[in-house]
Amino acid sequence: MTATEQETRVNGRRGDGLPGRLRSWGLGLFHSVWSPTAVTMRRWALTAVVVNVGISVTGAAVRLTGSGLGCPSWPRCTPGSFVPAPHDDHSPLNMAIEFGNRLLSFLVLAVAVACLVAAFRRVPRRRSLVGLALIQPFGVGVQGLWGGVVVRSLLNPVTVSVHFLLSIGMIAAALALYARAGEGDAPPRRLVHRDIRTLGFVLVAAVFVLLVAGVVVTGTGPHSGDDAASRFSFDIEAMARLHADAVWVVLGLTFALLFALHVTDSPGRARRGALVLLGVELAQGVIGYVQYFLAVPALLVGMHVLGSTLVWIAALRVVFLMRSRGTAPSSAPPAAPAANEVRAAGV
């Protein structure tokens, strides 16, 4: 290659530059929604899982930084303003943290809409995917309205607890969408013994009870989110012991499931899923005990909230790995514009 040809190629690359790469990325993002495949549908569902976990953790950060009423009004941040405005009772930092968490709701909504559009545009259209995808924008709307209840109740621990549990439901729906997008619509076929799968469902139920116990402990202890917030009147030591008991029940069920999967020579993916679940539970248990003995520092509490969502995801994933619905139907999405047509249009 001559020096002139090399210079021409380099200049051509420079001509594309960042705008060209952004344009290409934007087109790819658009086609992943408008002309989805099984792969891109799963990617959007996985993104929904991630953003719902993210907003659960940032919601906890709002409480842990004492910013729960940083925006003391709803739907406005302050009376008369949708954005933070000077307020005597709240510092600018607290207002910014709470307002930032509210803004993240729009990211969750955007991903939810993308999941729904992709499910409708999927060829062939699958009612199971559309139904699961509908839960996402509907859930965001419910969460937004419930957020107003949380603010107007001055962070009542019941409303705060329900807010988190709604996020847990959103995560479950997004994970189900992820699993269903990668498989067919045949009747579920068990890959393990019936009793082992039943044990898996019992384990998921136990994890949910553990999460409920966790939010009760949270609503009883410190880090209320604001000095004006009320607390449950339970004894914190008794609630912490009850929560720890639930942890040991979940660990026992997980050990039983892992042992049953091993001795019955169940599929490797199910055994690996159960092993991942056990690892996440052990890490979460370590964080829980450390935060307890260190008088629940805010950072460890935030990590514990993240861990609780990961335990929930890992438990649900094991159940999905113990059955099969066949392969996902092949897709025939609407043809995307050819590369030369895109260039001709100046896109």
Side-chain angles (χ1 to χ4, degrees):
M1 181 183 296
T2 65
T4 303
E5 290 173 337
Q6 290 177 343
E7 183 178 354
T8 300
R9 175 169 292 186
V10 169
N11 288 337
R13 288 174 181 169
R14 288 175 180 170
D16 287 340
L18 181 60
R21 289 194 293 271
L22 289 176
R23 191 180 302 118
S24 176
W25 178 81
L27 281 172
L29 196 65
F30 171 77
H31 288 304
S32 71
V33 176
W34 200 248
S35 305
T37 62
V39 173
T40 57
M41 185 74 243
R42 293 195 87 194
R43 286 175 181 169
W44 278 112
L46 183 59
T47 303
V49 173
V50 172
V51 296
N52 277 288
V53 169
I55 202 166
S56 299
V57 175
T58 59
V62 170
R63 177 173 54 81
L64 294 169
T65 56
S67 307
L69 293 177
C71 285
S73 182
W74 189 93
R76 292 179 171 86
C77 181
T78 55
S81 176
F82 283 97
V83 297
H87 196 279
D88 294 337
D89 296 333
H90 303 280
S91 71
L93 178 60
N94 291 144
M95 297 181 76
I97 292 172
E98 164 62 4
F99 184 69
N101 189 63
R102 291 190 182 189
L103 289 180
L104 281 178
S105 299
F106 291 98
L107 173 62
V108 180
L109 178 61
V111 173
V113 171
C115 287
L116 183 58
V117 173
F120 268 107
R121 292 285 300 172
R122 182 84 165 88
V123 179
R125 181 179 298 172
R126 299 170 58 191
R127 293 180 61 185
S128 57
L129 299 188
V130 173
L132 288 169
L134 273 169
I135 295 174
Q136 294 302 308
F138 176 77
V140 173
V142 171
Q143 281 283 61
L145 293 174
W146 192 259
V149 175
V150 172
V151 172
R152 292 179 183 275
S153 69
L154 299 180
L155 308 183
N156 182 283
V158 174
T159 62
V160 174
S161 299
V162 171
H163 207 31
F164 176 75
L165 294 177
L166 286 172
S167 292
I168 289 298
M170 292 280 289
I171 292 170
L175 189 65
L177 179 62
Y178 173 78
R180 296 290 287 113
E183 60 188 12
D185 290 317
R189 178 175 61 86
R190 288 185 289 104
L191 300 177
V192 299
H193 190 276
R194 178 186 60 192
D195 294 339
I196 295 178
R197 188 144 190 256
T198 300
L199 178 59
F201 287 121
V202 172
L203 174 58
V204 169
V207 170
F208 182 76
V209 171
L210 176 61
L211 294 176
V212 173
V215 297
V216 173
V217 172
T218 298
T220 305
H223 306 301
S224 63
D226 192 272
D227 292 339
S230 60
R231 302 272 79 196
F232 287 128
S233 59
F234 305 122
D235 178 70
I236 184 61
E237 292 290 338
M239 289 299 99
R241 284 195 293 269
L242 181 64
H243 182 57
D245 291 341
V247 169
W248 287 110
V249 169
V250 168
L251 279 173
L253 290 172
T254 305
F255 272 112
L257 178 64
L258 191 58
F259 179 76
L261 290 171
H262 179 75
V263 298
T264 57
D265 197 25
S266 297
R269 65 176 194 168
R271 283 180 286 166
R272 288 190 296 271
L275 193 59
V276 169
L277 171 60
L278 179 61
V280 174
E281 289 171 352
L282 291 175
Q284 175 73 337
V286 169
I287 294 172
Y289 275 105
V290 171
Q291 73 167 5
Y292 177 79
F293 289 112
L294 293 181
V296 288
L299 178 60
L300 287 181
V301 174
M303 293 174 61
H304 202 54
V305 172
L306 172 61
S308 67
T309 62
L310 297 181
V311 170
W312 179 238
I313 290 170
L316 291 171
R317 180 171 174 265
V318 171
V319 172
F320 286 119
L321 291 175
M322 291 193 291
R323 62 101 173 94
S324 173
R325 287 179 175 266
T327 57
S330 58
S331 59
N340 56 349
E341 294 176 358
V342 172
R343 295 195 194 97
V347 178

